[in-house]
Amino acid sequence: MPSRENAEVCVIGGGVIGLLSAYGLAASGVSVVLLDRQQVGAESSWAGGGIVSPLYPWRYSAAVTALAHWSQDFYPHLGEQLLAETGIDPEVYVTGLYWLDLEDEAEALEWARRERRPLRQVDMAAVQQAVPALARGFSRSVQMEDVANVRNPRLVKALRAALLKLPNVTLREQCAVTGFIREAGRVRGVRTAQGDIHADRVVVAAGAWSGELLKGLGIELPVEPVKGQMILYKCAEDFLPSMVLAKGRYAIPRRDGHILVGSTLERAGFDKTPTEPALASLRSSAEALLPALANAEVVGHWAGLRPGSPEGVPFIGPVPQHEGLWLNCGHYRNGLVLAPASCQLLADLLLERAPIIDPAPYAPAGRLR
């Protein structure tokens, strides 16, 4: 006979957004059931690069900027907290980031002045000295020295371990949601093959799959999968001391010498099969940035599905006409960047606390079809 379970909040989706949503709510004393249709963190949260900044922060709206700034300032604390609680280090690694030959460099510098962010022009001779592996031929550079990257698979592992230590959290993996429970016009939980889960609130944090889930309630959520492919090289630990970005492609160093290069932007539905043309394109970009990678070992090539949304602005908050239903999804290319602020904002709204930032730009009201 199928089981029945009760919780104050049911979170659908175990990516970094779902994990951090559950973690923040549970830390406030809320009982939480977290569901994932496979293992937590196995989709976009695992597949991404982990730069703790939008790739081109000045090209985004104030709504994305507000979440990004709060999260960037919070990430070092989050990394230390998770290491202390679980013994797993998410490796929040401050390397800085160089942008090379930007077409909109003047706009970038003006944005930095306005937002008081430490972006500055750097002479190319100084860049070549700091990053000897960088290809010759670039003429201009701007840098932010305080940009970090987080090792996202380790972040997911640490969050999972932290949740398993909390007595008011139930984690259910391999547990796909098949529908919603509605009573008297209110969402009261979800249906799964393993049984019904009743909850006072249901939070949809299912990344690229969020729109598909909500169709069952007649809600048109403009979130769709956008495929991205990456490759991973193994190099010496001191090969690349800083992240570098040119022509839309980036290289990210990990502490142990692994170098991530990404990424493609493809609209291919829910197909996340890695392809040979993408691999060839990524290798070409990698070698144009860092010529020595032509002789480096490629140890991985994979694809993930980003939750594409209009202008990359996530949906955070309650859904009108569906009392009890909440969203924290649609972060597009910036899920890892925006996660701490997005999940703090969700918890603030759900628990009726003063929100960390103005919640209006993210509210589902007026943005759903």
Side-chain angles (χ1 to χ4, degrees), residues 17 25 30 80 163 202 233 275 289:
I17 298 293
L25 290 166
V30 176
E80 290 166 9
L163 286 175
V202 173
Y233 292 88
T275 63
L289 259 181

Side-chain angles (χ1 to χ4, degrees), residues 8-19:
E8 290 174 272
V9 176
C10 174
V11 178
I12 307 171
V16 73
I17 298 293
L19 288 163

Side-chain angles (χ1 to χ4, degrees), residues 13-16 18-19 34-43 45-46 153 156-161 163-164 171-174:
V16 73
L19 288 163
L34 176 65
L35 308 176
D36 197 276
R37 64 191 183 90
Q38 50 176 335
Q39 283 187 306
V40 300
E43 293 290 352
S45 297
W46 180 89
V156 165
K157 270 187 194 169
L159 284 167
R160 183 182 186 276
L163 286 175
L164 289 174
L171 175 59
R172 295 209 173 282
E173 295 174 298
Q174 313 299 332

Side-chain angles (χ1 to χ4, degrees), residues 12 33 38 155 164-165 174 234 272 279 310 316:
I12 307 171
V33 175
Q38 50 176 335
L155 174 64
L164 289 174
K165 286 175 172 282
Q174 313 299 332
K234 185 68 177 83
K272 55 173 190 170
L279 177 60
I316 307 170

